[in-house]
Amino acid sequence: MSQIRAAGLQLIYQRGYEGMGLRLLAAEAGIGQSTLYGHYANKQEVLVDLICRHMEELLSCLHRAVPADAPPFARFLTFLRFHLTYHMRRPREVFICYSELRSLEPANLARVTDLRRRYEHALIAIIRDGMAAGVMRRADPRVAAYALLAMLSGVPVWFDPKGPLSEEAVCAEYIRLAVAAVADPLEAALSDRTIATPLPDSPARKA
């Protein structure tokens, strides 16, 4: 199965779903067509298996990476780094998950959509908790989450591990952008209890 999935992933990434036939897949995987049909009845099954496995692994790794009992902002930062790193290291899976949703049959699309929503809701919950704790600006958490995911998920399109920017450098810059999107400096300053009120005889008071 592993060699079939690897071959299917590469073929769909290179040729698109329409450009992959089962005969070509069997040849790429180095197996006979009869062996292939023992695992998949058609190429739609190959596509949905690849996408669902990617999404299920993504969710599983997310739950291990982001501690549920951590403060909201710490969870937010961990989510950002996890998402960026995971996606930069799996450009083919990410590409197929976005570009080939149109190729899924209705029942399979519903299954994949449910997995995607579970992932999206994890970020929505973090942002909602951050807003409730006063560490993120008040906004619609769904809109904020969708905007951030759209920005973060575009990294594999251009990131080159052999390029001038390291994975860490890209993570650092994107995290800065994401934090700026949810943080409200004025609100944070107004709620900062460490800011001292000027004394009556201070220069600020005399002015």
Side-chain angles (χ1 to χ4, degrees):
M1 283 289 284
S2 60
Q3 72 266 29
I4 300 175
R5 291 190 179 106
L9 182 66
Q10 186 63 25
L11 285 173
I12 297 175
Y13 181 68
Q14 291 177 333
R15 297 168 173 258
Y17 176 72
E18 293 301 324
M20 182 194 72
L22 290 186
R23 179 178 298 178
L24 180 61
L25 175 59
E28 184 74 12
I31 60 175
Q33 283 187 262
S34 59
T35 302
L36 177 61
Y37 280 115
H39 296 287
Y40 299 105
N42 51 57
K43 68 178 186 177
Q44 177 71 193
E45 289 189 3
V46 177
L47 178 63
V48 72
D49 178 50
L50 289 172
I51 294 179
C52 285
R53 280 180 63 85
H54 170 71
M55 289 304 305
E56 288 164 357
E57 182 180 358
L58 177 66
L59 286 165
S60 177
C61 291
L62 173 68
H63 293 317
R64 292 196 301 269
V66 182
D69 56 349
F73 207 79
R75 285 159 52 208
F76 181 65
L77 295 176
T78 303
F79 180 97
L80 296 175
R81 185 171 296 279
F82 164 79
H83 182 94
L84 289 163
T85 303
Y86 192 96
H87 282 62
M88 281 190 283
R89 294 175 182 177
R90 296 167 176 80
R92 295 179 302 173
E93 291 89 339
V94 173
F95 175 81
I96 290 172
C97 279
Y98 282 92
S99 68
E100 296 298 349
L101 290 178
R102 61 189 176 182
S103 301
L104 291 171
E105 295 172 356
N108 292 329
L109 178 59
R111 179 182 170 190
V112 171
T113 299
D114 178 66
L115 292 170
R116 287 167 62 92
R117 284 177 179 163
R118 286 167 55 190
Y119 188 77
E120 293 163 356
H121 287 172
L123 179 57
I124 292 170
I126 292 172
I127 294 174
R128 185 180 289 119
D129 290 346
M131 292 176 183
V135 296
M136 297 183 188
R137 66 180 180 83
R138 288 181 288 274
D140 186 320
R142 294 173 64 88
V143 173
Y146 293 151
L148 287 170
L149 287 172
M151 177 183 74
L152 299 170
S153 299
V155 174
V157 175
W158 64 266
F159 176 70
D160 181 358
K162 298 179 181 178
L165 291 175
S166 68
E167 187 178 280
E168 181 58 34
V170 172
C171 280
E173 188 58 35
Y174 267 78
I175 288 172
R176 289 189 189 96
L177 292 169
V179 168
V182 301
D184 188 334
L186 177 59
E187 185 173 344
L190 291 174
S191 63
D192 188 351
R193 298 181 180 180
T194 64
I195 298 178
T197 303
L199 298 174
D201 60 346
S202 67
R205 183 69 175 182
K206 291 178 181 179

